[in-house]
């Protein structure tokens, strides 16, 4: 999942980026409201963490303008303001959730997972296709009861496939959601990672779940009966 963090406090911005990357998310950052809005309009993020008190452009204005432009990416507002009126205003401007500073990183991560689940049918938190199970909370994956030993990037790739099960996922979609702007993606790096993932998820098992759609991309789906 690819996340945009818009926070002008450099220390907090860096901390959020580090913790989210450690959890396997691909993270882009901005330090003022206008930069954040420009990135949000340019890139199909899975979620936006948006501070309210920002230079150049207020976070509430950014949130309102994104919704007016029909950008429906989930938005989690961060602010030191915690009155009922402030929370109501933020939600009325189009935010999906609201977290007051200071906050525990565990709570922020839990809120992110909850927001990401809203757009997908996996209300239990676990992603399942046939005998393949992925748990985003514990960053664990197993198939047919066997634990899969995945690198953080392999896990992020598998998680993205699971969230888009039965859909054709193009290489451009993978690049946009799994890697951030700081990474220069070479022509075959995605194919390399998919091959590595397939060796762990499919090769040891009789039933294959991950297929290549020639000239387009990939699809993770249970076999047709």
């Amino acid at each position: 999942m690819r996340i945009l963090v818009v926070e002008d406090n450099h220390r907090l911005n860096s901390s959020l980026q580090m913790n989210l990357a450690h959890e396997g998310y691909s993270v882009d950052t901005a330090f003022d409201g206008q930069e954040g809005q420009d990135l949000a309009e340019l890139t199909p993020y899975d979620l936006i963490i948006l501070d309210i008190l920002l230079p150049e452009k207020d976070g509430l204005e950014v949130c309102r303008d994104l919704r007016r432009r029909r950008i429906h990416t989930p938005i989690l507002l961060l602010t030191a303001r915690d009155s009922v009126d402030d929370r109501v205003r933020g939600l009325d401007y189009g935010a999906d959730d609201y977290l007051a500073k200071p906050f525990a990183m565990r709570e922020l991560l839990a809120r992110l997972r909850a927001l990401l689940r809203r757009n997908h049918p996996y209300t239990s938190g676990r992603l399942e296709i046939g005998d393949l199970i992925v748990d985003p909370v514990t960053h664990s994956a197993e198939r047919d009861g066997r634990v899969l030993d995945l690198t953080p990037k392999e896990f992020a790739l598998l998680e993205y496939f699971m969230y888009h099960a039965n859909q054709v996922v193009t290489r451009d979609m993978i690049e946009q959601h799994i890697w951030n702007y700081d990474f220069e993606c070479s022509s075959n790096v995605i194919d390399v990672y998919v091959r590595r993932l397939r060796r762990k998820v499919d090769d040891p098992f009789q039933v294959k779940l991950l297929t290549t759609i020639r000239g387009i991309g990939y699809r993770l789906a249970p076999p047709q009966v």
Side-chain angles (χ1 to χ4, degrees):
M1 301 290 110
R2 189 169 182 180
I3 294 177
L4 173 63
V5 174
V6 189
E7 167 61 61
D8 64 321
N9 183 307
H10 283 248
R11 184 175 180 180
L12 178 56
N13 192 308
S14 177
S15 175
L16 287 168
Q17 182 182 27
M18 180 182 65
N19 279 278
L20 291 170
H22 179 73
E23 292 295 317
Y25 297 107
S26 177
V27 186
D28 292 317
T29 61
F31 296 91
D32 66 67
Q34 189 59 58
E35 181 188 12
Q37 182 171 330
D38 291 343
L39 285 171
E41 292 178 0
L42 180 66
T43 307
Y45 291 102
D46 296 289
L47 191 139
I48 299 170
I49 299 174
L50 179 63
D51 188 27
I52 289 182
L53 297 177
L54 291 168
E56 302 299 331
K57 190 168 186 177
D58 183 86
L60 290 177
E61 295 179 16
V62 173
C63 184
R64 180 186 58 194
D65 287 350
L66 291 177
R67 296 312 189 218
R68 285 176 174 174
R69 287 168 171 76
R70 300 186 183 278
I71 295 174
H72 302 298
T73 306
I75 295 176
L76 171 62
L77 288 178
L78 300 180
T79 182
R81 300 172 177 173
D82 193 29
S83 70
V84 172
D85 288 342
D86 289 326
R87 294 198 298 272
V88 169
R89 187 179 178 212
L91 295 171
D92 283 344
Y93 268 60
D96 297 272
D97 202 356
Y98 192 107
L99 187 58
K101 301 176 182 177
F103 54 84
M105 190 60 63
R106 287 176 57 199
E107 181 180 2
L108 180 136
L109 293 172
R111 288 176 181 268
L112 295 189
R113 292 191 296 268
L115 287 173
L116 291 169
R117 284 200 302 268
R118 289 183 184 179
N119 294 327
H120 302 281
Y122 302 103
T123 55
S124 68
R126 298 205 316 175
L127 315 178
E128 301 184 19
I129 295 180
D131 58 358
L132 176 61
I133 301 173
V134 172
D135 190 335
V137 178
T138 61
H139 274 240
S140 61
E142 64 178 62
R143 184 166 181 196
D144 194 26
R146 294 169 55 180
V147 175
L148 304 178
D149 183 17
L150 304 176
T151 67
K153 191 60 70 178
E154 289 167 352
F155 182 88
L157 182 58
L158 177 58
E159 183 183 24
Y160 186 71
F161 279 133
M162 295 288 281
Y163 273 120
H164 296 83
N166 301 303
Q167 302 175 30
V168 176
V169 176
T170 68
R171 290 171 177 82
D172 285 342
M173 291 169 63
I174 294 172
E175 181 178 347
Q176 289 176 353
H177 286 266
I178 305 300
W179 281 272
N180 59 24
Y181 280 118
D182 294 330
F183 182 81
E184 294 184 4
C185 194
S186 62
S187 59
N188 69 335
V189 67
I190 293 172
D191 295 328
V192 169
Y193 272 97
V194 171
R195 282 199 299 270
R196 292 177 181 174
L197 182 63
R198 182 177 274 132
R199 290 192 196 109
K200 299 178 180 181
V201 172
D202 261 355
D203 288 357
F205 304 94
Q206 183 176 0
V207 177
K208 311 304 179 186
L209 301 178
L210 184 57
T211 57
T212 299
I213 310 301
R214 187 176 297 277
I216 303 177
Y218 308 94
R219 179 170 54 211
L220 184 71
Q224 298 291 330
V225 178

